[in-house]
């Protein structure tokens, strides 16, 4: 009899391509991954991993079993969804991942309503960037994720996932009070400012490689600006602190924004720069009442922000 948890370990190895990657995805140690694989090899009676330099690779038997493991795990998800749907109520555990501004500006309201409506549902939340949380949903590490993309740069959604749009989040440009364009905020007759007017500015951006950083570079280049990324900061509040110190300008989304330093000015953008916020979950879990209940609560919380 094949052990499901060991098949999950093999599936994680096939997806991540390394023992360390599988361990990170499963939130276990590399030693635990190795032990599970050794037990699985004894169960099937043949090697599933082979040395590949300093790492490992799947053998032919390992790839064959990994293909079966992916289908088995999907069937287990379907079975769990059907059993939960048969009960007709949202119970058990639901794991949600969300990007930082959604954690602050959207998720608390949704979870409070969800707890009131479904007290037997236990929700666990962790903060992650959209790329990471969507990958975790595909792997089965999360049940639901909140993600974003931009009006002019969409984020690919894996075919295994279903998505629903929650809201559009418009953004401003944050500048120091002494900035040459600062008096444009709220001025009569001005519908907004063009990004092309920031060609002389240093920018505070997200980490390189993150989707939002790539979007900023892509968008500024689209207006004819070669962006000067002077500083990198993960959190919007940190970026605003750098703006307050006169070290550059940054994008300031409205969702989860919170208090803005008094010497920072927010300039609306005339070409309506906006983010699309949506929820994703595995298509084979679509019938789970807990997923449907969470999505309904997210839609209600998003509607209250419009």
């Amino acid at each position: 009899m094949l052990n499901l948890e060991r098949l999950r370990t093999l599936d994680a190895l096939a997806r991540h391509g390394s023992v360390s990657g599988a361990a990170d995805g499963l939130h276990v140690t590399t030693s635990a991954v190795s032990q599970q694989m050794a037990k699985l090899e004894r169960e099937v009676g043949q090697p599933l991993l082979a040395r590949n330099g300093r790492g490992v690779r799947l053998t032919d038997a390992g790839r064959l079993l990994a293909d079966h493991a992916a289908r088995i795990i999907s069937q287990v998800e379907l079975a769990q969804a059907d059993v939960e749907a048969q009960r007709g109520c949202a119970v058990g555990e639901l794991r949600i991942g969300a990007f930082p501004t959604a954690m602050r500006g959207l998720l608390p309201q949704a979870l409070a309503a969800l707890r009131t409506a479904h007290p037997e549902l236990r929700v666990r939340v962790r903060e992650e960037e959209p790329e990471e949380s969507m990958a975790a949903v595909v792997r089965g590490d999360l049940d639901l994720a909140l993600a974003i993309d931009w009006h002019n740069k969409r984020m690919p959604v894996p075919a295994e996932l279903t998505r629903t749009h929650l809201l559009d989040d418009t953004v401003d440009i944050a500048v120091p009070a002494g900035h040459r364009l600062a008096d444009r905020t709220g001025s009569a007759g001005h519908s907004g400012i063009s990004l092309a007017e920031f060609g002389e500015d240093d920018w505070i951006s997200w980490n390189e490689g993150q989707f939002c950083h790539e979007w900023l570079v892509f968008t500024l280049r689209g207006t004819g600006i070669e962006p000067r990324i002077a500083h990198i900061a993960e959190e919007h509040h940190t970026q605003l602190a750098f703006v307050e110190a006169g070290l550059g300008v940054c994008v300031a989304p409205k969702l989860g924004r919170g208090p803005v330093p008094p010497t920072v000015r927010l300039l609306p953008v005339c070409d309506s720069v906006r983010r699309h916020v949506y929820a994703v979950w595995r298509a084979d879990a679509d019938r789970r009442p807990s997923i449907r209940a969470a999505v309904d609560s997210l839609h209600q919380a998003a509607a209250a922000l419009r």
Side-chain angles (χ1 to χ4, degrees):
M1 181 71 68
L2 294 173
N3 180 281
L4 181 60
E5 288 308 309
R6 289 167 200 154
L7 290 178
R8 288 190 187 277
T9 302
L10 177 62
D11 179 64
L13 266 168
R15 290 182 182 277
H16 292 281
S18 69
V19 172
S20 59
D24 288 342
L26 295 170
H27 304 289
V28 299
T29 64
T30 55
S31 176
V33 170
S34 298
Q35 289 173 16
Q36 289 282 56
M37 289 304 301
K39 291 177 181 177
L40 186 57
E41 287 181 328
R42 287 197 294 272
E43 287 178 352
V44 300
Q46 55 186 310
L48 302 174
L49 297 178
R51 290 288 179 188
N52 185 27
R54 294 187 176 181
V56 296
R57 62 173 177 81
L58 293 179
T59 64
D60 289 344
R63 286 194 296 271
L64 178 64
L65 187 56
D67 289 341
H68 284 290
R71 291 193 291 272
I72 290 168
I73 292 167
S74 179
Q75 284 300 119
V76 170
E77 292 282 349
L78 284 171
Q80 290 174 335
D82 284 344
V83 169
E84 190 175 324
Q86 181 69 26
R87 293 186 64 179
C89 56
V91 297
E93 182 178 88
L94 188 70
R95 301 158 299 170
I96 301 177
F99 57 97
T101 51
M103 286 282 283
R104 291 195 300 270
L106 179 62
L107 206 52
Q109 300 87 334
L111 293 185
L114 191 62
R115 183 173 61 181
T116 299
H118 304 281
E120 294 186 50
L121 180 63
R122 300 185 308 278
V123 181
R124 292 171 51 198
V125 177
R126 72 189 197 208
E127 185 175 297
E128 284 189 335
E129 290 302 318
E131 306 97 309
E132 298 168 350
S133 61
M134 278 204 291
V137 175
V138 170
R139 295 193 303 268
D141 297 336
L142 291 175
D143 301 302
L144 185 73
L146 297 184
I148 53 171
D149 58 23
W150 296 82
H151 69 291
N152 60 338
K153 190 173 179 64
R154 305 309 296 266
M155 177 179 288
V157 176
E160 302 97 319
L161 303 185
T162 296
R163 66 187 283 175
T164 184
H165 177 264
L166 297 174
L167 60 92
D168 283 349
D169 181 30
T170 56
V171 306
D172 299 321
I173 304 300
V175 303
H179 192 274
R180 67 187 185 284
L181 301 173
D183 61 354
R184 294 276 291 275
T185 179
S187 300
H190 289 292
S191 59
I193 197 163
S194 170
L195 288 176
E197 297 186 64
F198 293 94
E200 302 175 12
D201 288 284
D202 291 337
W203 286 84
I204 298 102
S205 180
W206 300 268
N207 287 333
E208 292 184 30
Q210 285 189 4
F211 185 75
C212 287
H213 175 88
E214 300 304 321
W215 164 81
L216 179 61
V217 172
F218 169 82
T219 302
L220 292 177
R221 285 176 176 164
T223 66
I225 297 173
E226 183 56 37
R228 302 200 321 240
I229 308 298
H231 305 286
I232 298 294
E234 184 72 23
E235 282 285 343
H236 288 288
H237 293 315
T238 306
Q239 294 181 4
L240 289 174
F242 273 63
V243 173
E244 183 182 27
L247 299 173
V249 302
C250 76
V251 172
K254 291 185 177 179
L255 179 65
R257 180 184 288 169
V260 176
T263 56
V264 169
R265 302 291 179 262
L266 298 176
L267 308 182
V269 183
C270 61
D271 44 1
S272 185
V273 176
R274 62 194 182 278
R275 308 188 298 176
H276 306 298
V277 181
Y278 51 93
V280 299
W281 61 94
R282 286 179 65 101
D284 53 21
D286 196 57
R287 294 192 293 273
R288 289 179 59 187
S290 58
I291 295 284
R292 306 312 311 173
V295 170
D296 288 345
S297 292
L298 286 166
H299 274 297
Q300 293 169 15
L305 297 174
R306 297 191 186 109

